[in-house]
């Protein structure tokens, strides 16, 4: 598999949103032409704001979208920490998407059960006996370098036997989460990281020059 890393640096958040949404538009178009479906993994944090602003401006066949969560906080949907809750409030009713197009966690289950349940929900959308291959994962990054809920130094980063892992002691609140594991992230056709703000400048400098 070839790896092509492109880093785009822009002036401000508006331009980050525009760049990310251009990529989403072109990747979704190609996926729909080839596969008649677009499978995208969403992240939480600042991406919820970027996508709430940017997605309504893109041209795509929304009926072909299936939206998953690269990580999710195990909290009630009404909580301000629920990533699905944020997208639901921001996008449903604004875009022609339905609730059924989102593959969501069951927030009533403890993290371990919620992770197993999420794997089963994902399995419906991917061929059996191989790693899921998303058309696109939209990823954020914390100042500590975490993406999804894969926190550097945490043993969840070593998990390779399952698609989705629970974490109950995340160093960033809320502590209870589920997350895609590295094998799933690394198997995606496209990963787009949207990273902004001075607190992340150091980690971005480090990661830009890592050889892959
Ligand atoms: O906790 C999380 O953090 C990361 C990064 O968030 P950001 O606000 O610094 O962009 C996010 O990508 C992840 O989905 C979220 O659960």
């Amino acid at each position: 598999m070839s790896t092509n890393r492109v880093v785009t640096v822009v002036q401000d958040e508006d331009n980050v949103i525009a760049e990310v949404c251009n990529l989403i538009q072109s990747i979704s178009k190609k996926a729909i032409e080839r596969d008649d479906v677009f499978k995208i993994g969403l992240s939480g944090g600042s991406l919820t704001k970027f996508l709430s602003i940017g997605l309504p401006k893109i041209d795509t066949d929304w009926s072909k979208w299936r939206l998953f969560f690269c990580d999710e906080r195990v909290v009630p949907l009404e909580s301000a920490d629920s990533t699905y809750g944020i997208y639901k409030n921001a996008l449903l009713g604004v875009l022609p998407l339905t609730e059924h197009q989102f593959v969501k966690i069951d927030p009533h289950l403890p993290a371990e059960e919620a992770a197993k349940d999420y794997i089963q929900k994902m399995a419906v959308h991917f061929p059996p006996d191989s790693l899921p291959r998303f058309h696109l994962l939209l990823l954020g990054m914390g100042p500590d370098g975490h993406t999804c809920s894969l926190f550097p130094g945490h043993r969840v980063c070593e998990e390779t036997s399952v698609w989705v892992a629970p974490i109950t002691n995340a160093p960033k609140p809320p502590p209870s989460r589920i997350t895609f594991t590295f094998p799933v992230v690394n198997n995606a056709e496209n990963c787009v990281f949207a990273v902004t703000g001075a607190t992340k400048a150091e980690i971005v400098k480090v990661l830009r020059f890592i050889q892959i």
Side-chain angles (χ1 to χ4, degrees):
M1 191 190 311
S2 69
T3 304
N4 178 21
R5 178 168 54 175
V6 177
V7 180
T8 307
V9 181
V10 292
Q11 192 63 33
D12 55 27
E13 219 168 78
D14 288 346
N15 284 291
V16 171
I17 295 170
E19 285 286 335
V20 169
C21 289
N22 278 340
L23 287 166
I24 299 172
Q25 184 167 291
S26 66
I27 294 168
S28 67
K29 186 169 185 284
K30 285 184 198 140
I32 293 165
E33 276 167 9
R34 191 188 67 195
D35 298 334
D36 200 36
V37 64
F38 176 51
K39 296 179 211 172
I40 180 172
L42 306 174
S43 289
S46 45
L47 259 166
T48 59
K49 177 181 155 200
F50 301 160
L51 298 182
S52 303
I53 296 170
L55 286 186
K57 298 177 189 152
I58 81 168
D59 178 26
T60 186
D61 181 350
W62 293 106
S63 70
K64 305 289 184 191
W65 283 47
R66 300 293 174 270
L67 303 102
F68 300 75
F69 293 88
C70 300
D71 72 324
E72 176 60 289
R73 292 86 178 271
V74 184
V75 294
L77 275 188
E78 303 70 39
S79 160
D81 281 324
S82 164
T83 298
Y84 172 62
I86 298 171
Y87 286 119
K88 182 178 179 210
N89 291 335
L91 298 177
L92 290 185
V94 174
L95 298 175
L97 283 172
T98 68
E99 199 168 324
H100 302 292
Q101 288 171 262
F102 288 85
V103 179
K104 321 176 265 290
I105 68 156
D106 181 344
H108 305 293
L109 297 172
E112 197 164 328
E113 297 308 313
K116 288 182 190 151
D117 176 65
Y118 203 69
I119 293 169
Q120 285 182 0
K121 287 175 176 161
M122 283 168 68
V124 173
H125 298 269
F126 293 94
D129 303 327
S130 57
L131 274 172
R133 188 155 172 76
F134 284 93
H135 294 115
L136 172 61
L137 298 182
L138 290 176
L139 299 164
M141 187 179 298
D144 60 353
H146 82 271
T147 192
C148 303
S149 288
L150 297 165
F151 293 90
H154 194 287
R155 71 192 160 97
V156 72
C157 296
E158 261 111 72
E159 183 55 76
T160 54
S161 63
V162 290
W163 296 353
V164 179
I167 167 165
T168 52
N169 56 356
K172 173 182 173 184
S176 189
R177 296 152 173 254
I178 62 140
T179 181
F180 285 177
T181 55
F182 274 122
V184 172
V185 175
N186 290 332
N187 199 46
E189 275 184 28
N190 299 281
C191 288
V192 171
F193 287 83
V195 186
T196 60
T199 60
K200 299 174 183 176
E202 278 310 311
I203 190 71
V204 168
K205 260 191 238 163
V206 171
L207 294 176
R208 273 187 78 175
F209 297 105
I210 281 181
Q211 293 300 315
I212 47 173

